[in-house]
mmCIF file of all heavy atoms in Angstrom:
data_model
loop_
_atom_site.group_PDB
_atom_site.id
_atom_site.type_symbol
_atom_site.label_atom_id
_atom_site.label_comp_id
_atom_site.label_asym_id
_atom_site.label_seq_id
_atom_site.Cartn_x
_atom_site.Cartn_y
_atom_site.Cartn_z
ATOM 1 N N TYR A 1393 46.303 5.465 -41.768
ATOM 2 C CA TYR A 1393 45.548 4.212 -41.723
ATOM 3 C C TYR A 1393 46.454 2.999 -41.755
ATOM 4 O O TYR A 1393 46.313 2.050 -41.008
ATOM 5 C CB TYR A 1393 44.521 4.182 -42.883
ATOM 6 C CG TYR A 1393 43.708 2.929 -42.929
ATOM 7 C CD1 TYR A 1393 42.664 2.671 -42.055
ATOM 8 C CD2 TYR A 1393 44.050 1.917 -43.857
ATOM 9 C CE1 TYR A 1393 41.911 1.495 -42.101
ATOM 10 C CE2 TYR A 1393 43.319 0.739 -43.890
ATOM 11 C CZ TYR A 1393 42.270 0.556 -43.015
ATOM 12 O OH TYR A 1393 41.553 -0.610 -43.086
ATOM 13 N N ILE A 1394 47.418 3.024 -42.697
ATOM 14 C CA ILE A 1394 48.342 1.914 -42.859
ATOM 15 C C ILE A 1394 49.207 1.714 -41.621
ATOM 16 O O ILE A 1394 49.326 0.567 -41.124
ATOM 17 C CB ILE A 1394 49.264 2.137 -44.084
ATOM 18 C CG1 ILE A 1394 48.402 2.076 -45.357
ATOM 19 C CG2 ILE A 1394 50.372 1.074 -44.167
ATOM 20 C CD1 ILE A 1394 49.159 2.437 -46.647
ATOM 21 N N ILE A 1395 49.728 2.796 -41.099
ATOM 22 C CA ILE A 1395 50.650 2.689 -39.912
ATOM 23 C C ILE A 1395 49.855 2.161 -38.691
ATOM 24 O O ILE A 1395 50.299 1.277 -37.987
ATOM 25 C CB ILE A 1395 51.287 4.054 -39.592
ATOM 26 C CG1 ILE A 1395 52.275 4.433 -40.675
ATOM 27 C CG2 ILE A 1395 51.968 4.002 -38.216
ATOM 28 C CD1 ILE A 1395 52.885 5.804 -40.520
ATOM 29 N N SER A 1396 48.693 2.740 -38.454
ATOM 30 C CA SER A 1396 47.873 2.309 -37.313
ATOM 31 C C SER A 1396 47.397 0.875 -37.452
ATOM 32 O O SER A 1396 47.359 0.107 -36.437
ATOM 33 C CB SER A 1396 46.690 3.238 -37.087
ATOM 34 O OG SER A 1396 45.879 3.335 -38.225
ATOM 35 N N SER A 1397 47.088 0.448 -38.671
ATOM 36 C CA SER A 1397 46.654 -0.948 -38.885
ATOM 37 C C SER A 1397 47.797 -1.895 -38.682
ATOM 38 O O SER A 1397 47.630 -2.955 -38.044
ATOM 39 C CB SER A 1397 46.104 -1.078 -40.309
ATOM 40 O OG SER A 1397 44.959 -0.284 -40.510
ATOM 41 N N LEU A 1398 48.987 -1.575 -39.202
ATOM 42 C CA LEU A 1398 50.144 -2.445 -39.022
ATOM 43 C C LEU A 1398 50.548 -2.534 -37.530
ATOM 44 O O LEU A 1398 50.906 -3.609 -37.041
ATOM 45 C CB LEU A 1398 51.336 -1.932 -39.849
ATOM 46 C CG LEU A 1398 51.214 -2.049 -41.368
ATOM 47 C CD1 LEU A 1398 52.390 -1.408 -42.046
ATOM 48 C CD2 LEU A 1398 51.132 -3.556 -41.739
ATOM 49 N N LEU A 1399 50.437 -1.419 -36.854
ATOM 50 C CA LEU A 1399 50.740 -1.418 -35.407
ATOM 51 C C LEU A 1399 49.757 -2.254 -34.649
ATOM 52 O O LEU A 1399 50.148 -3.033 -33.745
ATOM 53 C CB LEU A 1399 50.683 0.049 -34.882
ATOM 54 C CG LEU A 1399 51.032 0.195 -33.375
ATOM 55 C CD1 LEU A 1399 52.484 -0.241 -33.085
ATOM 56 C CD2 LEU A 1399 50.838 1.657 -32.962
ATOM 57 N N PHE A 1400 48.480 -2.208 -35.034
ATOM 58 C CA PHE A 1400 47.445 -3.014 -34.378
ATOM 59 C C PHE A 1400 47.757 -4.517 -34.606
ATOM 60 O O PHE A 1400 47.703 -5.303 -33.652
ATOM 61 C CB PHE A 1400 46.090 -2.664 -34.993
ATOM 62 C CG PHE A 1400 44.970 -3.467 -34.457
ATOM 63 C CD1 PHE A 1400 44.345 -3.155 -33.248
ATOM 64 C CD2 PHE A 1400 44.483 -4.619 -35.123
ATOM 65 C CE1 PHE A 1400 43.295 -3.880 -32.732
ATOM 66 C CE2 PHE A 1400 43.453 -5.359 -34.609
ATOM 67 C CZ PHE A 1400 42.830 -5.009 -33.416
ATOM 68 N N ILE A 1401 48.083 -4.886 -35.833
ATOM 69 C CA ILE A 1401 48.391 -6.276 -36.133
ATOM 70 C C ILE A 1401 49.593 -6.767 -35.349
ATOM 71 O O ILE A 1401 49.669 -7.861 -34.778
ATOM 72 C CB ILE A 1401 48.634 -6.459 -37.633
ATOM 73 C CG1 ILE A 1401 47.307 -6.218 -38.390
ATOM 74 C CG2 ILE A 1401 49.148 -7.855 -37.953
ATOM 75 C CD1 ILE A 1401 47.504 -6.166 -39.916
ATOM 76 N N PHE A 1402 50.648 -5.900 -35.307
ATOM 77 C CA PHE A 1402 51.876 -6.291 -34.573
ATOM 78 C C PHE A 1402 51.639 -6.470 -33.102
ATOM 79 O O PHE A 1402 52.055 -7.468 -32.503
ATOM 80 C CB PHE A 1402 52.943 -5.201 -34.799
ATOM 81 C CG PHE A 1402 54.177 -5.399 -33.952
ATOM 82 C CD1 PHE A 1402 55.117 -6.343 -34.307
ATOM 83 C CD2 PHE A 1402 54.398 -4.628 -32.805
ATOM 84 C CE1 PHE A 1402 56.273 -6.536 -33.526
ATOM 85 C CE2 PHE A 1402 55.537 -4.827 -32.025
ATOM 86 C CZ PHE A 1402 56.451 -5.768 -32.386
ATOM 87 N N VAL A 1403 50.937 -5.516 -32.481
ATOM 88 C CA VAL A 1403 50.678 -5.576 -31.043
ATOM 89 C C VAL A 1403 49.809 -6.788 -30.685
ATOM 90 O O VAL A 1403 50.089 -7.541 -29.759
ATOM 91 C CB VAL A 1403 50.037 -4.252 -30.524
ATOM 92 C CG1 VAL A 1403 49.611 -4.420 -29.079
ATOM 93 C CG2 VAL A 1403 51.064 -3.135 -30.651
ATOM 94 N N ILE A 1404 48.724 -6.985 -31.438
ATOM 95 C CA ILE A 1404 47.811 -8.109 -31.195
ATOM 96 C C ILE A 1404 48.579 -9.436 -31.395
ATOM 97 O O ILE A 1404 48.434 -10.359 -30.596
ATOM 98 C CB ILE A 1404 46.620 -8.055 -32.152
ATOM 99 C CG1 ILE A 1404 45.730 -6.870 -31.808
ATOM 100 C CG2 ILE A 1404 45.815 -9.375 -32.026
ATOM 101 C CD1 ILE A 1404 45.126 -6.912 -30.404
ATOM 102 N N GLY A 1405 49.420 -9.494 -32.441
ATOM 103 C CA GLY A 1405 50.212 -10.687 -32.643
ATOM 104 C C GLY A 1405 51.190 -10.950 -31.541
ATOM 105 O O GLY A 1405 51.318 -12.106 -31.083
ATOM 106 N N LEU A 1406 51.880 -9.915 -31.089
ATOM 107 C CA LEU A 1406 52.832 -10.055 -29.964
ATOM 108 C C LEU A 1406 52.141 -10.516 -28.676
ATOM 109 O O LEU A 1406 52.597 -11.430 -27.987
ATOM 110 C CB LEU A 1406 53.549 -8.739 -29.739
ATOM 111 C CG LEU A 1406 54.621 -8.711 -28.621
ATOM 112 C CD1 LEU A 1406 55.741 -9.708 -28.909
ATOM 113 C CD2 LEU A 1406 55.183 -7.311 -28.428
ATOM 114 N N VAL A 1407 51.051 -9.859 -28.373
ATOM 115 C CA VAL A 1407 50.286 -10.249 -27.169
ATOM 116 C C VAL A 1407 49.778 -11.663 -27.278
ATOM 117 O O VAL A 1407 49.798 -12.430 -26.302
ATOM 118 C CB VAL A 1407 49.113 -9.288 -26.938
ATOM 119 C CG1 VAL A 1407 48.237 -9.748 -25.813
ATOM 120 C CG2 VAL A 1407 49.628 -7.883 -26.601
ATOM 121 N N GLY A 1408 49.341 -12.062 -28.480
ATOM 122 C CA GLY A 1408 48.846 -13.406 -28.703
ATOM 123 C C GLY A 1408 49.962 -14.448 -28.484
ATOM 124 O O GLY A 1408 49.689 -15.474 -27.829
ATOM 125 N N VAL A 1409 51.142 -14.200 -29.003
ATOM 126 C CA VAL A 1409 52.259 -15.115 -28.817
ATOM 127 C C VAL A 1409 52.631 -15.252 -27.339
ATOM 128 O O VAL A 1409 52.848 -16.331 -26.820
ATOM 129 C CB VAL A 1409 53.474 -14.651 -29.649
ATOM 130 C CG1 VAL A 1409 54.729 -15.470 -29.264
ATOM 131 C CG2 VAL A 1409 53.201 -14.804 -31.125
ATOM 132 N N LEU A 1410 52.724 -14.061 -26.657
ATOM 133 C CA LEU A 1410 53.086 -14.079 -25.241
ATOM 134 C C LEU A 1410 52.017 -14.790 -24.406
ATOM 135 O O LEU A 1410 52.365 -15.544 -23.458
ATOM 136 C CB LEU A 1410 53.279 -12.663 -24.728
ATOM 137 C CG LEU A 1410 54.488 -11.895 -25.292
ATOM 138 C CD1 LEU A 1410 54.485 -10.433 -24.782
ATOM 139 C CD2 LEU A 1410 55.772 -12.581 -24.866
ATOM 140 N N THR A 1411 50.776 -14.603 -24.742
ATOM 141 C CA THR A 1411 49.670 -15.289 -24.064
ATOM 142 C C THR A 1411 49.774 -16.774 -24.237
ATOM 143 O O THR A 1411 49.611 -17.542 -23.295
ATOM 144 C CB THR A 1411 48.296 -14.777 -24.494
ATOM 145 O OG1 THR A 1411 48.241 -13.340 -24.261
ATOM 146 C CG2 THR A 1411 47.170 -15.434 -23.735
ATOM 147 N N PHE A 1412 50.052 -17.188 -25.494
ATOM 148 C CA PHE A 1412 50.178 -18.617 -25.799
ATOM 149 C C PHE A 1412 51.320 -19.225 -24.987
ATOM 150 O O PHE A 1412 51.185 -20.288 -24.383
ATOM 151 C CB PHE A 1412 50.438 -18.835 -27.292
ATOM 152 C CG PHE A 1412 50.824 -20.199 -27.630
ATOM 153 C CD1 PHE A 1412 49.870 -21.237 -27.728
ATOM 154 C CD2 PHE A 1412 52.151 -20.535 -27.906
ATOM 155 C CE1 PHE A 1412 50.241 -22.542 -28.032
ATOM 156 C CE2 PHE A 1412 52.527 -21.831 -28.225
ATOM 157 C CZ PHE A 1412 51.553 -22.825 -28.300
#
Side-chain angles (χ1 to χ4, degrees):
Y1393 177 78
I1394 292 173
I1395 291 175
S1396 57
S1397 296
L1398 289 175
L1399 182 62
F1400 178 83
I1401 293 170
F1402 172 77
V1403 172
I1404 293 297
L1406 180 62
V1407 171
V1409 169
L1410 291 175
T1411 301
F1412 170 77

